[in-house]
Amino acid sequence: MKKAIALVLVAALSALTACSNNAKDSKGAQEGSTAEEIPTIVWQYPTPGNLGSGFQEVEDAFNAMLEKDVGARVKFEPVGLSESTKKASLAVASGEPLDIMLTAFTSLGPSVDSGMIVPLDDLLEQQGKDIKEQAGVLLDGAKYDSKTYGVPPVYIKGNTYGYLARTDLLQKYNITIDPEKKYTMDDLDEIFAKVKAGEGKDFYTTIPWNTTQDPLNNSYIEYDKVTGSLAAGVLMLNRGFDDTTVSNLFATDEYATYVNKMYDWAKKGYISSDAAITKQSPDSLLATKKYLGMFYWNDRLSASSKSAASGIEFTGIPMIEPYVSNNGGQGIMWNITSSSQHPEKAMEVLNYIYKNKDAAWLLQFGLEGKSYKVLEQTDEGTSIEFMDPDTSKLPYYQGYGIYGNRLQWPVVSPEPINKNKVLKEDDDNIPQSRYSPALGYSFKQASVSSEIAAVSTVIEQYTPAFNSGALEPSKSLPEFLNALKSAGIDKIIQENQKQLDEWKQSNGK
Amino acid sequence: MTAIEVKRASAREKKKNRWKRYFPVYLMILPGLLYLLINNYIPMFGVIIAFKKLNFSEGIFGSPWNGLDNFKFLFATNDAWVITRNTILYNVAFFVIGTVSAITLAVLINEIRSKFASKAYQSLTLLPFLMSWVVVSYLGYAFLSSETGLINNSILQPLGKESINWYMDKTYWPLILILVNTWKGIGYSMIIYLASIVGINQDYYEAATIDGASKWKQIRHITLPLLKPTFITLFILAVGQVFRSDFGLFYQMPQNSGALYSVTRTLDVYVYQALLRNSDYGMSSAASFYQSIVGFVLILAANFFIKKYNRENALF
Amino acid sequence: MKTSESRITQIVAHVFCGLIALCAILPFLLLIISSFTSESWATEHGYSFFPQKFSLEAYKYIAVQWDTIGKAYLMTLIVTFAGTVVSVSITALFAYGISQNHIPGMKVVNFLMIFTMLFNGGLVATYYMYVHYLDFKDTIWALLIPNLLMNAFNVILVKNYMSYSIPGALKEAATIDGASEFKIFARIIMPLSLPIIATIGLMTGLAYWNDWQNGLYYLSGRDGASLYTIQIILNNINENIQVLLQNASQAQAIGANVAELPSTTIRMAIATIGILPILVLYPFFQRYFVKGITLGGVKE
């Protein structure tokens, strides 16, 4: 009996290793035959882990386009969104092939400082004309030490924030929203008071945002997180778009007003007492109907698209005039690794998904007729529908919107077909006077990295509690500011200011 | 041949014999030794990352030295003392309470006569160990949430007591963390002790029973003393880990609630929070090196004292 | 007198063990019930032992990947079984060797082993070793060997057991009879060590069963996907939910929709799927605890 098991085991093991070795060999042979004329670019592919059955087909289709137009092939390397940087660093360190990596929601600094990625300015000049043309000022958000290191997907550049409120409740309490007006916290206070009085206990007026440190999820005031982190100070744009003084946001009067308001709201029962720690997604909280709404991104169409996605009718309440800021760069961008053998080709491939929108559509939505079908095509755009409303059943589905120029994509029904046009129009209408003066600036943090690490932990400790009104400001705010000070926030801000001033001088601003 | 020569020859023979005898033993440890070499000792050069400003394009060895800069962030906070205190005190409490409860459980399970019941207890107490911390933190939230939690709604309210906002009130957390840690680990540590108990020679118990010793006396005078070697080994190993902590317990379980940091933040949690948004291999290696070196010194000291008191039970 | 004492002992033991078992099983029940609870109901009312709305949405989400999951279960079984057998053998041999500390060099080896519990070279160096030199990437060796094959803690447990619980006289007698070291190890030491071997077998088995890190680092999503074990897949789903939740406020920036996932109940379902098979396999190890008792009674 035992021997039988052992035999089976050995057989299974050797079969497995043989399989994987074969796979490797055939792959090697394939690369070998084409490598001379056509280089293969290895490209990270963010995915939750389950590649659809049609993945290979899409890659082949994309390669057919690339071979013809660029003279290169790609090999996608699937990777989790949160692991892309770590896996890239391992690949670069051990000399595995990897040409294009993804930076998602982390700062560029460590990747640049550790020599993982290369500057792209020359490559953009030579092979990336379409990227430069379409991304424009967005490329400023991919800079570090005055050099460009990343290529972001193109989308609107403006920040437009506000509050999304349930339309049925607004109507119930006879509240009308003026879409031209910019509502302040006090205006909202009045609305909240009315609704809360009517709905009573166990009803809250705003879902908590404990995943973001920004007051009201950015809807409170305009500021530019020039380094991407509140730890290194902000430009208070609400005071003026030409002011280049780096301030500690938490030490401002605006922040004090804000935390007092939150404390007040929590006392009045507008904010749930579990707000600081709940791990429920905002959408699932809204679905319980125990909330009036949330502070959220609020362009002209976001209320309607949120309504379509959630099945609850929302009205957008604008709070901040759209503005353009640096905010420490783009959330998502592509970088070329220092171990890449073909950086020029890699850039050409990247450029291709901006140049040829069919290529971007292919990678983003899969093959027409297999993953999606076109409903309508007009001058204003294209409207499509997925072949199966349950996207996990599609042969190919890329849940993250990352390829090429998002404003040239089709829109997924039921969103209005002219969505992209409207967004672009609004975006282009943002006046230069509402552009942050620090666009293109980036902060080299190496000299203060231990202070940043320490300050980050202090911010992490206090902001979720302040944001949900769980701390009494008169006692806790001074405590918070002291902790920030002793962790070295002043030194960071000073350094930031110094670098910003130098950058201003050398750029003639 | 003189007598001396004969003696020498036999000594040589003996020595040769001894080596012949030892050779198979060396052969036996060879696979393990090779594994230590490949898995641990060759990659050990990685510790120098803690002292480097790591640059991948120049390689680990080519990167410039950085002195102790990578270590600075560990001490850049006012809370450094609180963090160290938490880490050490929790480890002490976990060890004491975890060991007492695990030994009690193992001894009692060993006493149970029904084979089915004994097996059932063994499997059931291991259940918590099989859950990940994320899941445990959700279950914790189900009990402790101030609005929907089972404790507030199903226990405190019916009793007419006021609800407690558990995640904002740090007074309860040292106790909660110790309970949860014991709950999760008891099945696992119990097995280690149980294995030692079932390995005890039954003759001792038979003789004791004939002498009319009570169960309690047998446990006190046979079982517990014979568990001492296992206990001492686990103690020395625990001393070496005193600067490390279970990240999941201290980060997930309290839902990363800032109000609780002064009693929940340990070294590992601090390092995670510090490097969350700016990952840095140098700094994380430095943190781990710091934990290692402290553990190393302490383990040497602990072993030294044990050796003085009882040579046999020392770890090395 | 005697029977009443032993009855008291039984009662005390049952009450204590029963209480601890209850503490263990209640949360586990809650876990299983939660995985069948409707996400929206759970969000509103919290998890409950008596939810008013049941739902299979979490399992449905996982079931979409069922064919992958079935294959992954098989892979988990193979890796766990092979890994445990090899690991236990290496560990037992090594422990037996260093337990004979009169042999020159064994004390040094013992120290070198303990040293690895404290210091390690970190991920980058280990990865370099396994990928660059040994070419383990996308092979089954990557799931079996890195970090899991032998661990110092288990070696120490076995070594202690061999030194303290096995009468030295047994070995001496065998040596005088002219038995070879291998024979002594196989015929005397191993049978007598069964309780501890079962223990570390269980621990190693659990470690292999639960491991996802080797998969994460050493298997790429494509060539390695055929080698995915159940925990690697479950961890991928978990991570994905985590990232989307953490960046919910920036979801706009990547056009991702968080609302699609019944996020927390999925995790409960995932945990259930991962744990249940262990409960089925566990009694297999328990046999050896009982065996140890009878063999421990062998007369010296």
Side-chain angles (χ1 to χ4, degrees):
Chain A
M1 178 60 198
K2 272 185 189 158
K3 268 186 187 160
I5 294 179
L7 267 179
V8 169
L9 191 77
V10 169
L13 271 180
S14 41
L16 276 170
T17 45
C19 276
S20 57
N21 283 343
N22 280 345
K24 272 201 152 171
D25 289 349
S26 62
K27 181 185 76 191
Q30 219 177 28
E31 272 168 16
S33 63
T34 49
E36 284 149 41
E37 328 83 78
I38 296 188
T40 299
I41 302 298
V42 182
W43 189 353
Q44 280 190 335
Y45 181 89
T47 163
N50 187 32
L51 298 176
S53 57
F55 181 78
Q56 192 57 50
E57 211 180 349
V58 169
E59 193 189 76
D60 291 343
F62 184 59
N63 273 333
M65 293 166 107
L66 278 181
E67 272 173 42
K68 191 162 69 74
D69 297 341
V70 179
R73 298 174 54 83
V74 298
K75 178 169 176 270
F76 287 115
E77 177 78 24
V79 63
L81 196 63
S82 59
E83 278 120 26
S84 64
T85 314
K86 190 168 207 175
K87 284 200 121 176
S89 69
L90 291 175
V92 172
S94 65
E96 283 173 82
L98 177 67
D99 300 280
I100 305 173
M101 65 165 280
L102 178 77
T103 298
F105 305 124
T106 52
S107 51
L108 274 175
S111 302
V112 176
D113 286 339
S114 63
M116 258 168 69
I117 54 179
V118 294
L120 304 176
D121 299 277
D122 293 342
L123 294 170
L124 279 167
E125 204 58 55
Q126 301 294 324
Q127 283 90 12
K129 291 214 174 54
D130 298 275
I131 297 173
K132 273 196 97 161
E133 195 185 300
Q134 292 175 35
V137 68
L138 289 175
L139 281 173
D140 281 344
K143 281 197 169 152
Y144 189 76
D145 197 9
S146 301
K147 292 192 204 94
T148 314
Y149 282 91
V151 174
V154 172
Y155 198 51
I156 50 175
K157 46 197 179 292
N159 297 303
T160 46
Y161 286 98
Y163 182 88
L164 294 185
R166 270 167 58 192
T167 312
D168 57 336
L169 287 174
L170 292 181
Q171 280 166 355
K172 186 172 165 190
Y173 296 98
N174 278 325
I175 301 164
T176 45
I177 300 299
D178 176 3
E180 297 306 316
K181 183 178 160 186
K182 301 296 164 209
Y183 285 72
T184 64
M185 257 193 328
D186 293 321
D187 298 331
L188 285 177
D189 212 344
E190 280 173 36
I191 298 176
F192 288 177
K194 259 191 223 170
V195 179
K196 174 75 185 174
E199 296 295 311
K201 199 176 165 282
D202 277 348
F203 182 89
Y204 311 102
T205 55
T206 173
I207 66 134
W209 278 113
N210 56 46
T211 57
T212 167
Q213 296 165 340
D214 300 279
L216 300 186
N217 187 23
N218 294 307
S219 300
Y220 177 42
I221 46 171
E222 304 94 323
Y223 54 85
D224 188 347
K225 284 190 281 188
V226 280
T227 69
S229 157
L230 293 172
V234 300
L235 300 183
M236 298 296 287
L237 299 181
N238 64 322
R239 299 176 183 173
F241 275 78
D242 46 5
D243 189 357
T244 53
T245 319
V246 182
S247 324
N248 176 359
L249 173 72
F250 305 112
T252 60
D253 295 342
E254 287 91 334
Y255 196 74
T257 314
Y258 162 74
V259 293
N260 278 307
K261 197 61 151 182
M262 290 306 108
Y263 185 61
D264 181 43
W265 283 4
K267 264 204 318 214
K268 288 179 182 159
Y270 295 179
I271 305 175
S272 138
S273 52
D274 282 333
I277 49 133
T278 182
K279 294 288 182 288
Q280 303 283 355
S281 76
D283 297 271
S284 62
L285 288 173
L286 286 177
T288 63
K289 305 257 176 164
K290 276 161 73 175
Y291 293 86
L292 173 62
M294 63 174 167
F295 293 94
Y296 201 62
W297 184 272
N298 184 44
D299 58 47
R300 221 186 328 157
L301 297 171
S302 39
S304 63
S305 61
K306 198 84 209 163
S307 308
S310 63
I312 306 170
E313 202 62 36
F314 284 105
T315 303
I317 304 181
M319 292 179 71
I320 284 184
E321 194 88 43
Y323 69 104
V324 179
S325 72
N326 184 341
N327 266 351
Q330 300 296 317
I332 295 259
M333 53 198 137
W334 303 109
N335 321 102
I336 296 182
T337 65
S338 55
S339 63
S340 171
Q341 300 291 315
H342 312 282
E344 293 87 9
K345 274 287 170 220
M347 178 54 83
E348 240 181 292
V349 168
L350 275 177
N351 188 61
Y352 186 65
I353 56 170
Y354 292 81
K355 184 174 167 188
N356 181 351
K357 70 179 180 192
D358 291 340
W361 289 20
L362 175 67
L363 294 183
Q364 193 64 52
F365 297 98
L367 288 159
E368 187 183 344
K370 293 202 166 151
S371 285
Y372 69 93
K373 58 172 184 261
V374 174
L375 296 178
E376 198 188 347
Q377 203 153 16
T378 69
D379 295 347
E380 297 197 299
T382 307
S383 174
I384 64 164
E385 186 183 70
F386 287 117
M387 302 297 276
D388 192 320
D390 180 356
T391 52
S392 58
K393 294 197 177 111
L394 296 172
Y396 180 93
Y397 178 70
Q398 172 54 276
Y400 312 120
I402 46 177
Y403 291 108
N405 187 338
R406 291 176 63 185
L407 294 171
Q408 291 178 359
W409 287 357
V411 295
V412 180
S413 162
E415 294 202 82
I417 194 163
N418 63 350
K419 175 185 164 191
N420 289 329
K421 213 175 152 221
V422 171
L423 289 181
K424 184 151 174 37
E425 239 170 55
D426 285 358
D427 205 42
D428 290 342
N429 280 339
I430 301 174
Q432 281 293 326
S433 62
R434 289 189 65 81
Y435 276 54
S436 160
L439 291 176
Y441 165 69
S442 69
F443 177 53
K444 281 170 294 182
Q445 60 178 44
S447 60
V448 285
S449 52
S450 46
E451 282 82 4
I452 288 186
V455 169
S456 303
T457 65
V458 178
I459 297 177
E460 178 94 5
Q461 173 172 2
Y462 284 91
T463 49
F466 275 129
N467 287 349
S468 55
L471 291 177
E472 215 219 292
S474 61
K475 188 172 143 278
S476 303
L477 189 58
E479 203 180 282
F480 178 34
L481 295 177
N482 268 335
L484 287 172
K485 216 181 213 32
S486 60
I489 196 170
D490 293 338
K491 188 177 164 197
I492 307 169
I493 288 177
Q494 213 176 8
E495 175 65 27
N496 196 359
Q497 185 76 63
K498 196 186 98 199
Q499 291 187 20
L500 180 61
D501 290 344
E502 279 165 14
W503 171 82
K504 245 172 48 181
Q505 223 154 40
S506 64
N507 282 273
K509 293 204 179 178
Chain B
M1 228 191 263
T2 63
I4 298 170
E5 275 177 335
V6 171
K7 221 176 182 178
R8 270 199 197 142
S10 86
R12 221 178 295 139
E13 188 75 0
K14 225 174 168 181
K15 213 173 175 184
K16 217 172 124 194
N17 256 333
R18 217 170 69 193
W19 284 110
K20 227 168 115 187
R21 184 90 228 164
Y22 292 164
F23 181 71
V25 184
Y26 287 123
L27 215 58
M28 284 169 149
I29 66 163
L30 191 65
L33 207 55
L34 266 178
Y35 183 67
L36 285 184
L37 187 72
I38 291 171
N39 190 66
N40 300 89
Y41 278 97
I42 298 179
M44 196 71 87
F45 71 87
V47 297
I48 65 168
I49 292 175
F51 306 94
K52 290 258 185 183
K53 189 179 175 331
L54 189 60
N55 190 322
F56 288 107
S57 54
E58 289 161 37
I60 293 175
F61 293 105
S63 302
W65 291 99
N66 203 9
L68 293 177
D69 276 4
N70 289 333
F71 291 82
K72 268 197 203 149
F73 83 104
L74 291 168
F75 310 99
T77 160
N78 267 7
D79 292 341
W81 188 81
V82 173
I83 293 163
T84 312
R85 176 202 68 185
N86 286 348
T87 316
I88 294 174
L89 283 188
Y90 277 117
N91 272 319
V92 171
F94 289 171
F95 181 76
V96 172
I97 293 166
T99 305
V100 170
S101 55
I103 291 182
T104 313
L105 186 64
V107 166
L108 290 179
I109 283 190
N110 187 50
E111 290 302 329
I112 283 173
R113 276 202 223 101
S114 152
K115 267 190 189 162
F116 173 78
S118 150
K119 280 185 182 178
Y121 290 139
Q122 283 178 48
S123 325
L124 292 178
T125 48
L126 192 67
L127 273 177
F129 180 76
L130 304 176
M131 299 181 201
S132 68
W133 278 115
V134 177
V135 167
V136 173
S137 79
Y138 280 155
L139 295 176
Y141 185 73
F143 284 96
L144 299 176
S145 154
S146 67
E147 285 159 24
T148 58
L150 292 170
I151 295 187
N152 275 356
N153 289 343
S154 310
I155 299 177
L156 293 181
Q157 260 177 24
L159 291 177
K161 297 223 169 103
E162 212 162 298
S163 293
I164 297 173
N165 198 346
W166 296 96
Y167 290 100
M168 289 294 146
D169 195 338
K170 64 185 178 199
T171 44
Y172 306 99
W173 279 87
L175 187 66
I176 293 176
L177 291 174
I178 291 172
L179 280 180
V180 171
N181 185 67
T182 311
W183 167 79
K184 197 162 187 290
I186 189 169
Y188 192 84
S189 337
M190 179 272 289
I191 290 177
I192 297 177
Y193 286 108
L194 187 62
S196 300
I197 292 176
V198 298
I200 294 174
N201 196 326
Q202 292 299 308
D203 293 351
Y204 297 132
Y205 294 109
E206 271 167 39
T209 315
I210 292 166
D211 288 348
S214 69
K215 264 269 131 68
W216 167 237
K217 272 204 170 130
Q218 292 184 19
I219 291 171
R220 247 193 82 179
H221 295 290
I222 303 173
T223 315
L224 293 184
L226 286 172
L227 285 181
K228 207 175 70 184
T230 310
F231 167 78
I232 290 180
T233 307
L234 293 179
F235 170 72
I236 299 177
L237 292 180
V239 166
Q241 304 297 322
V242 78
F243 255 39
R244 298 185 191 273
S245 58
D246 194 331
F247 174 74
L249 171 64
F250 293 99
Y251 183 78
Q252 312 274 14
M253 188 62 206
Q255 306 280 7
N256 192 23
S257 170
L260 309 175
Y261 274 11
S262 59
V263 295
T264 62
R265 201 185 244 170
T266 59
L267 202 52
D268 293 274
V269 175
Y270 175 76
V271 170
Y272 176 82
Q273 285 164 344
L275 304 180
L276 181 63
R277 287 184 166 77
N278 288 295
S279 62
D280 185 314
Y281 279 112
M283 286 192 195
S284 55
S285 305
S288 151
F289 188 78
Y290 171 57
Q291 291 174 314
S292 299
I293 205 85
V294 174
F296 186 60
V297 171
L298 290 176
I299 216 171
L300 284 181
N303 195 63
F304 175 77
F305 285 113
I306 297 286
K307 220 173 186 170
K308 263 191 151 172
Y309 146 88
N310 187 342
R311 199 164 179 83
E312 259 217 322
N313 290 333
L315 199 52
F316 45 86
Chain C
M1 166 73 200
K2 205 164 167 245
T3 46
S4 83
E5 189 216 78
S6 90
R7 247 178 74 196
I8 292 173
T9 314
Q10 288 298 306
I11 292 172
V12 169
H14 275 287
V15 168
F16 185 84
C17 300
L19 270 178
I20 290 187
L22 198 69
C23 291
I25 202 166
L26 282 181
F28 186 67
L29 266 183
L30 185 60
L31 167 75
I32 295 179
I33 295 171
S34 312
S35 71
F36 289 104
T37 306
S38 138
E39 175 91 8
S40 59
W41 192 88
T43 312
E44 196 171 345
H45 300 96
Y47 292 117
S48 157
F49 285 101
F50 311 102
Q52 273 138 30
K53 254 190 177 160
F54 286 94
S55 153
L56 286 173
E57 56 191 338
Y59 288 94
K60 270 190 199 143
Y61 178 81
I62 297 173
V64 174
Q65 309 191 13
W66 188 248
D67 55 331
T68 351
I69 288 183
K71 245 197 294 176
Y73 260 131
L74 185 69
M75 188 53 65
T76 300
L77 281 176
I78 294 173
V79 168
T80 304
F81 188 74
T84 309
V85 169
V86 179
S87 167
V88 167
S89 316
I90 294 181
T91 306
L93 283 169
F94 194 75
Y96 177 62
I98 59 173
S99 73
Q100 305 190 47
N101 52 14
H102 60 278
I103 298 180
M106 289 307 176
K107 281 186 184 151
V108 180
V109 172
N110 181 38
F111 182 80
L112 284 178
M113 176 197 69
I114 291 167
F115 192 76
T116 64
M117 296 181 84
L118 291 160
F119 288 91
N120 70 75
L123 179 62
V124 179
T126 315
Y127 185 87
Y128 196 77
M129 175 76 207
Y130 282 118
V131 172
H132 195 84
Y133 291 124
L134 297 175
D135 207 11
F136 275 5
K137 182 127 195 189
D138 294 335
T139 67
I140 193 166
W141 306 117
L143 296 179
L144 288 169
I145 295 179
N147 296 326
L148 293 171
L149 196 58
M150 189 178 85
N151 111 7
F153 184 73
N154 288 346
V155 175
I156 294 172
L157 287 183
V158 178
K159 179 196 138 200
N160 272 1
Y161 195 93
M162 289 173 172
S163 319
Y164 299 122
S165 301
I166 298 179
L170 272 181
K171 215 204 128 190
E172 274 162 38
T175 316
I176 292 164
D177 287 350
S180 73
E181 282 289 339
F182 281 103
K183 216 169 187 175
I184 294 175
F185 176 77
R187 296 280 161 81
I188 298 173
I189 305 292
M190 278 303 266
L192 288 178
S193 306
L194 269 182
I196 199 69
I197 296 292
T199 305
I200 65 152
L202 172 72
M203 291 173 175
T204 315
L206 285 180
Y208 275 108
W209 183 279
N210 286 326
D211 183 67
W212 45 265
Q213 298 203 359
N214 279 348
L216 174 67
Y217 295 127
Y218 299 110
L219 299 184
S220 72
R222 300 190 69 156
D223 305 319
S226 58
L227 296 170
Y228 273 3
T229 60
I230 191 79
Q231 297 292 348
I232 298 174
I233 292 183
L234 299 183
N235 182 64
N236 277 342
I237 299 178
N238 253 342
E239 273 298 308
N240 183 45
I241 295 172
Q242 185 76 17
V243 176
L244 287 183
L245 284 184
Q246 250 164 27
N247 298 295
S249 55
Q250 298 182 46
Q252 176 83 16
I254 52 170
N257 200 349
V258 195
E260 287 169 16
L261 308 172
S263 53
T264 52
T265 51
I266 283 187
R267 288 183 169 184
M268 299 299 189
I270 286 172
T272 310
I273 289 178
I275 293 173
L276 279 182
I278 305 181
L279 290 183
V280 178
L281 295 174
Y282 185 57
F284 175 78
F285 287 97
Q286 286 183 323
R287 293 211 324 234
Y288 297 100
F289 285 109
V290 185
K291 256 188 196 162
I293 295 173
T294 50
L295 282 169
V298 167
K299 296 272 179 304
E300 286 182 23

